[in-house]
Amino acid sequence: MSPLPGRPPTERTVKRPRRVSGAVAAALSGVLAVVLLLSSAGSAQADRIGLRAADPSVIRVGGTYVSVQSTGGGLAVRQAASTAGLASAPARQVWSDTHDRGEVWAPEIVRDGGRYYIYFTAGRGAAHRMYVISSAAPDSGYTAETRLALPDDKWAIDGTLFTYNGQRWFVWSGWAGDTNVEQNLYIARMSSPTTPTGARHVISQPRESWERVVGNPFINEGPEPVMDPNGQLHIAYSANGSWSDQYCLADLRLRAGGDPAHVWDWYKSNGCLFGSNRATMMPGWDPTLHVNGPGHHSFVLLDGDIATSPPAGPTFPLMFHAVPKGTPYSWENRYWYTGTFCGWGGTTYSRANVPGPNSDTGWSLKFFE
């Protein structure tokens, strides 16, 4: 939530291989991830790129990495030949808050139809809403901001656009009503990159004990879509308050053949998948060694398109913000970090006392500092 991740992985175009069986793919991914976990454990430090900021949003366009960040009363874009190079790349202001809309938070850059769209939050108190600007170029020529007409017109932050099975969707964090009881994740269909259509649908609420360690309010935010090697949709998100080192990443996995707008078609990880506190981690996942409170990440995908999500096997670039261990945890001490992520097959997410099957087995995610 609001205002910014080191050694980059090999950054290259990876052709999607022919589909292998789920069992074989899961085994391959599991072996590779174990090797990477051991490698990570021997690392001297996490990969901080030197940019003190929050909420990284990064995509790859050809051989160029493009990021966007909030700069107080505006938005700035950087371009570099590597994720690590973004820290020293010039920041070009692409939008300024000339209408005094208030706090500017968590911009997300995507490409759709060859055009760049930046979605961001602006407002004060209960007035935070989502806005969008667009351009044919990544770092200049953006349109004036347009308020996104999200269904029900409630407090909304951290929104982003993606396309799944030919349908555009917008996912964001918001309130059910007009008061800050809890932040839920919502999704709505889009008829264009700037036009929501139909109702909003809740897909996650912070109701599990491990995502209620820090509250008032309890938090689900920073949703980021990705697809697994079986073509199933995931939305990884940040849980617990960003003002605490309990901040972490968790996962929602859409069941095979499921409807993204139907809450009970989503299965939630049984704990944090990327966090710094062992007590809240999902069984089989370890806490971070070098940073506290990793969260609000960015899957660094080609064109930001989830159709280019990683196949079984390779790790792909990841950006996230965190606070170095040994440093007081505060928003002001957050940095951008570069890490990696990969699929982890054969993982069961379980639930109880809700409609539908109590468990679902499929791909999960492993994150590495």
Side-chain angles (χ1 to χ4, degrees):
M1 178 174 168
S2 78
L4 296 227
R7 179 182 67 248
T10 300
E11 292 156 338
R12 55 186 173 84
T13 302
V14 179
K15 294 184 178 179
R16 294 180 67 89
R18 288 174 296 181
R19 208 56 95 186
V20 296
S21 73
V24 172
L28 288 173
S29 178
V31 170
L32 178 63
V34 168
V35 172
L36 286 168
L37 278 171
L38 293 174
S39 174
S40 174
S43 173
Q45 61 180 17
D47 293 327
R48 187 172 77 190
I49 71 169
L51 191 59
R52 187 176 293 209
D55 308 336
S57 176
V58 184
I59 63 175
R60 180 167 66 84
V61 182
T64 300
Y65 293 82
V66 183
S67 71
V68 63
Q69 67 188 93
S70 60
T71 56
L75 303 172
V77 167
R78 299 171 186 260
Q79 298 186 82
S82 68
T83 51
L86 290 169
S88 57
R92 295 195 61 179
Q93 192 92 355
V94 297
W95 177 81
S96 296
D97 185 12
T98 57
H99 293 97
D100 191 25
R101 297 190 182 278
E103 298 163 318
V104 178
W105 289 348
E108 289 281 331
I109 188 166
V110 303
R111 289 188 84 203
D112 186 293
R115 191 170 179 85
Y116 295 86
Y117 294 84
I118 296 177
Y119 301 90
F120 63 96
T121 304
R124 295 181 177 86
H128 285 83
R129 295 295 189 273
M130 293 300 310
Y131 293 81
V132 60
I133 57 177
S134 69
S135 176
D139 61 353
S140 63
Y142 279 87
T143 58
E145 73 274 17
T146 298
R147 181 165 153 175
L148 212 58
L150 292 174
D152 298 334
D153 189 25
K154 303 298 182 183
W155 189 92
I157 67 169
D158 295 359
T160 193
L161 178 82
F162 67 96
T163 299
Y164 179 66
N165 286 345
Q167 170 66 56
R168 291 185 181 93
W169 297 89
F170 195 79
V171 62
W172 72 99
S173 175
W175 300 348
D178 295 320
T179 57
N180 194 5
V181 177
E182 61 184 4
Q183 284 177 221
N184 306 319
L185 298 185
Y186 294 94
I187 197 168
R189 291 176 174 84
M190 300 284 283
S191 60
S192 77
T194 58
T195 309
T197 182
R200 68 170 178 165
H201 307 272
V202 65
I203 58 172
S204 181
Q205 296 171 285
R207 301 291 174 83
E208 302 300 320
S209 60
W210 52 267
E211 56 185 352
R212 296 173 69 88
V213 178
V214 174
N216 193 27
F218 298 110
I219 301 290
N220 282 179
E221 65 184 14
E224 295 291 340
V226 71
M227 275 170 44
D228 69 30
N230 283 346
Q232 289 173 241
L233 177 63
H234 294 244
I235 292 178
Y237 66 95
S238 300
N240 291 307
S242 64
W243 57 90
S244 162
D245 65 6
Q246 295 284 349
Y247 207 48
C248 70
L249 295 185
D251 180 42
L252 296 174
R253 181 176 65 220
L254 187 68
R255 71 169 180 83
D259 178 359
H262 183 51
V263 63
W264 304 124
D265 283 349
W266 290 97
Y267 285 77
K268 182 178 289 191
S269 59
N270 297 119
C272 302
L273 301 183
F274 196 37
S276 54
N277 293 276
R278 185 171 293 279
T280 59
M281 300 301 292
M282 180 161 163
W285 272 251
D286 292 317
T288 51
L289 296 174
H290 310 293
V291 301
N292 284 329
H296 205 127
H297 68 300
S298 181
F299 295 115
V300 184
L301 302 176
L302 179 62
D303 292 330
D305 183 357
I306 67 169
T308 69
S309 298
T315 57
F316 269 50
L318 172 79
M319 301 289 288
F320 61 96
H321 78 232
V323 172
K325 283 188 183 294
T327 302
Y329 195 91
S330 68
W331 281 2
E332 293 74 21
N333 285 337
R334 293 177 296 182
Y335 287 84
W336 281 13
Y337 286 81
T338 293
T340 56
F341 75 99
C342 70
W344 191 266
T347 303
T348 298
Y349 294 167
S350 59
R351 63 190 188 186
N353 303 317
V354 298
N358 287 338
S359 65
D360 182 81
T361 300
W363 289 88
S364 185
L365 299 162
K366 284 281 187 177
F367 298 94
F368 308 100
E369 295 175 84

